[in-house]
Amino acid sequence: SSGINAESQSVLFSFLAEGQDLESLLFHFLDEWLYAFCVEPFFTPNEINILEFDEENFKIRCEGYGEPFDLQKHPQGTEVKAITYSAMQIKKHDKGYDIYVIVDI
């Protein structure tokens, strides 16, 4: 879901990502953020909050605050076209996770 905060003109984008395992959960989580950017108004988050991370049922509920992409404010670089499973790595350790993801550009 999405909405606009009239006071700060910041945009809220929130969703629930689900998977069958950690890799598919990570894929769907990243793919939802890519989708948010690819549709109008080209949402550019500057803050993402993980509201719920269910490691047993492979769900992440999150929200992001940001603004529409603006060439005057945001430097343009290489566009990410797709998230991939290619060589994806997720390593759990005491302080959280280390992840490695290759994206198609």
Side-chain angles (χ1 to χ4, degrees), residues 33-78:
W33 286 115
L34 180 58
Y35 172 79
F37 179 77
C38 290
V39 299
E40 293 292 342
F42 299 105
F43 179 70
T44 306
N46 54 30
E47 179 181 336
I48 295 174
N49 298 313
I50 305 296
L51 304 174
E52 178 185 348
F53 178 35
D54 184 339
E55 295 177 72
E56 292 180 14
N57 297 303
F58 308 112
K59 296 180 183 181
I60 295 176
R61 191 169 58 86
C62 62
E63 62 186 12
Y65 296 91
E67 58 195 359
F69 180 78
D70 179 351
L71 278 173
Q72 303 299 321
K73 293 174 73 175
H74 304 107
Q76 194 170 10
T78 304

Side-chain angles (χ1 to χ4, degrees), residues 18-28 57-58 85 90:
E18 299 181 83
Q20 293 78 38
D21 53 27
L22 281 177
E23 288 81 8
S24 64
L25 176 59
L26 176 59
F27 175 90
H28 291 291
N57 297 303
F58 308 112
Y85 282 101
I90 302 173

